[in-house]
Each structure stands twice: as C-alpha cells, then as structure tokens.
C-alpha cells in the first residue's frame, strides 16, 4: 500500500472534491486527507489517497479523462515532507497550505462520505464568485404555428322515413276459411276465440273484415236457432238486454250502456288499426235479425282499441 498526493487545478470549485474522490475510489484508493483553496488561476486541490502501487497508472489515466481538471500532477508522499502546489501563483507568498499530517487515531473513511462533508464546508472569504456558463436556450418549437383542424362531428343518423300508407284492396269473404274455422262450432262454442284468431291470421288482409263478419253472422244465426227461436218478436232495447249482451258475454267481456255495447280487451283488435269489430257486428246481426220487430238493424262502430281507444264501442240502432 502506498500514499499518493493528487495536485490538480480546476476552474470551478463546486463538486470538484466529489468528482476527483469518485475517480480515485473507482481505482481502489481511499481518501486520507484533502484541502482546496482559491487561487487567481482557479481552484487548487490537494488530495492524499492510499491504495495499491499497481493502480497508480490506472489512477493517472482516470484523472486524465476528467474534463474539469485544467492540469494535475501525481506524486508519492514522503513522510515529513510538504510539497508546494505546482499551480500556485506565488510559491513564496501564497495562501496555499499543504494538507496537514494525519493524526495517529485517524480512521479511514470512504471517499464519497468525506467528499460530502467537505462539500458542505463554507468556502474561504477570499473565494471569488464563480461565473457560471449561461444555460442553453430551449430548442425552438413550431407547435404554436401548427393549426389543428378538428374533425367535424359525424351527422346524427337520419330517422327512417315512415312506412308509406298502402291501401288494402277490399276482398270478398273467404268462405272456405270460415267453414273450416266453424266446422266444430257445436262442440267449441262458446270457446271459439282461438278459432277466430286462426281465421284472422290465415285469410288475406283484404278479406279479414269480411271473413270475420261472415263468421259472426253464422255464429249468431246458429245461436238464435238453437236457443232463441221460440221467443217472440221484441223491441231492440229489450232484445239487446235479454239476448244480445248475454250472448256476447259468453265470448268477451261486454257492458251495455244506453244502447251501446262496450267490448273490453277484445282479442281480435290489435294495435295499428288491426280491428276485428266486424265479427261482433256480424254476430249481433245474425243473433237479433229474427228477434226484433220488423224494423231493420243498424250497427255502427264508434271506436276501437286497435286505434288507441280504451274499449271497442258499437252503437246499435234501428234502421
């Protein structure tokens, strides 16, 4: 193990001890003592380090790579001899003082720890203010000249046009479909609503109302012949109260009010104008045509739940 003295000249003092100490530490040397003073030429640093003789060349090469050092010298330490700094301005009258000799109980400390302590020490009063290099100007930016065009929002999806109104051609009643729906009327009555709904689905759109009306006339006539043929002629109000309303009650929910029949929750009348009130009109015609006095019968649909009404209303009067 040997002790070497590093004498260096640098333009700036800040961080000099730490940087030189790290270079020595990377070469395996430990700090023994150090001192730095300010000189007209710059900062004079003297550092005593201890390490292997074989690492001396590596230490010299490491110091040569330090950009902060203007120049440096590396000497072996001779016990009892104090070497003047090579870069001192006046070697006879100078404020440079070589590092003091170590005390007997001096404990070796890592370079980094001692360097941090030395960095915290205040600089001597004679230290001149250090002129720092101006900070580099920030790179020019062209962001302020860039015009960003935002994409126009996508147009809202257009609503589909309403379906055009198509007038359905009125057709004659589908007699074969009516015969099939009422083939087992004697056994199905009064539970004939499923048969009527099947008839409603099977016939053409133009033949719906006429087919339902024909089915109603046949059911009403069949019911009058079976249950009311022996009755005599009655007035229309009496026939509605005694025959018409009770007969419809067996098929749907009905309420008679002032000569008008209010049919509630008709299964044959769906939304969108899909009315099935022609069945009820035909049913009353077939049922009451032979029960009332010789006057004719007029049935007018006032409103229907298929068009948004609460109930289907049929107004029955003498013609």
């Amino acid at each position: 193990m040997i002790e070497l003295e590093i004498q260096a000249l640098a333009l700036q003092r800040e961080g000099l001890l730490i940087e030189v100490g790290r270079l020595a530490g990377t070469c395996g040397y430990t700090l023994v003592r150090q001192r730095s003073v300010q000189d007209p030429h710059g900062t004079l640093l003297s550092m005593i380090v201890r390490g292997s003789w074989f690492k001396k060349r590596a230490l010299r090469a490491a110091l040569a790579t330090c950009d902060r050092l203007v120049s440096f010298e590396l000497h072996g330490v001779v016990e009892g001899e104090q070497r003047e700094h090579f870069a001192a301005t006046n070697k006879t009258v100078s404020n440079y003082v070589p590092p003091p000799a170590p005390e007997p109980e001096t404990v070796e400390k890592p370079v980094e720890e001692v360097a941090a302590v030395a960095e915290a020490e205040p600089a001597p009063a004679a230290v001149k203010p250090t002129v720092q290099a101006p900070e580099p100007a920030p790179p020019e930016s062209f962001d302020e000249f860039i015009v960003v065009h935002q994409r126009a929002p996508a147009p809202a999806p257009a609503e589909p046009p309403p379906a055009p109104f198509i007038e359905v051609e009125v057709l004659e009643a589908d007699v074969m479909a009516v015969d099939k729906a009422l083939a087992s009327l004697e056994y199905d009555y009064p539970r004939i609503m499923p048969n009527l709904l099947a008839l409603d689905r099977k016939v053409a759109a133009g033949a719906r109302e006429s087919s339902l009306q024909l089915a109603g006339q046949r059911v009403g006539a069949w019911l009058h012949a079976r249950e009311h043929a022996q009755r005599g002629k009655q007035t229309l109000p009496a026939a509605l109260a005694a025959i018409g309303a009770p007969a419809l009650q067996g098929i749907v929910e009905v309420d008679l009010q002032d000569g008008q029949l209010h049919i509630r929750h008709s299964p044959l009348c769906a939304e969108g104008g899909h009315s099935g009130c022609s069945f009820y009109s035909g049913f009353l015609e077939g049922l009451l045509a032979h029960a009332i006095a010789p006057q004719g019968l007029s049935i007018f649909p006032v409103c229907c739940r298929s068009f948004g009404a609460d109930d289907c209303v049929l107004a029955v009067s003498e013609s």
Side-chain angles (χ1 to χ4, degrees), residues 42-202:
T43 301
L44 305 180
L45 173 65
S46 178
M47 181 180 293
I48 307 298
V49 294
R50 180 180 297 154
S52 171
W53 171 268
F54 300 101
K55 297 288 185 177
K56 181 179 180 180
R57 181 175 297 179
L59 176 59
R60 186 182 297 276
L63 294 173
T65 61
C66 183
D67 296 335
R68 298 190 55 175
L69 300 182
V70 177
S71 59
F72 72 92
E73 290 186 359
L74 191 62
H75 306 284
V77 176
V78 179
E79 189 68 27
E81 181 181 346
Q82 293 185 351
R83 185 185 303 275
E84 294 182 349
H85 200 285
F86 75 94
T89 302
N90 190 346
K91 299 185 183 300
T92 57
V93 181
S94 174
N95 60 353
Y96 171 76
V97 180
E103 299 180 359
E105 293 82 12
T106 300
V107 180
E108 296 181 3
K109 297 182 179 180
V111 174
E112 290 80 358
E113 181 180 351
V114 177
V117 175
E119 188 69 18
E121 294 180 356
V127 176
K128 295 182 179 180
T130 303
V131 179
Q132 298 183 354
E135 297 183 359
E140 295 184 357
S141 174
F142 296 95
D143 293 344
E144 59 181 326
F145 301 103
I146 299 176
V147 179
V148 179
H149 298 280
Q150 297 183 355
R151 181 180 299 177
E159 296 183 359
F165 174 75
I166 301 176
E167 186 175 358
V168 179
E169 181 183 2
V170 179
L171 301 177
E172 296 288 339
D174 190 339
V175 179
M176 294 183 59
V178 174
D179 291 341
K180 185 176 180 180
L182 303 180
S184 56
L185 177 61
E186 184 178 358
Y187 304 100
D188 296 336
Y189 187 86
R191 293 182 293 273
I192 60 172
M193 190 57 68
N195 300 32
L196 298 175
L197 292 173
L199 174 66
D200 186 14
R201 292 191 299 267
K202 290 180 180 179

Side-chain angles (χ1 to χ4, degrees), residues 19-31 47 49 59 111-112:
E19 187 167 354
V20 176
R22 286 177 180 173
L23 292 174
T26 57
C27 297
Y29 287 87
T30 58
L31 177 66
M47 181 180 293
V49 294
L59 176 59
V111 174
E112 290 80 358

Side-chain angles (χ1 to χ4, degrees), residues 208-254:
R208 279 189 60 256
E209 292 191 11
S210 57
S211 298
L212 288 174
Q213 184 174 13
L214 177 59
Q217 290 172 349
R218 289 190 176 184
V219 174
W222 172 84
L223 183 60
H224 179 270
R226 192 184 75 166
E227 297 184 2
H228 306 288
Q230 303 302 323
R231 287 175 178 264
K233 299 291 184 178
Q234 303 179 49
T235 62
L236 179 58
L240 277 176
I243 301 174
L248 276 177
Q249 282 282 5
I251 303 174
V252 290
E253 183 181 350
V254 176

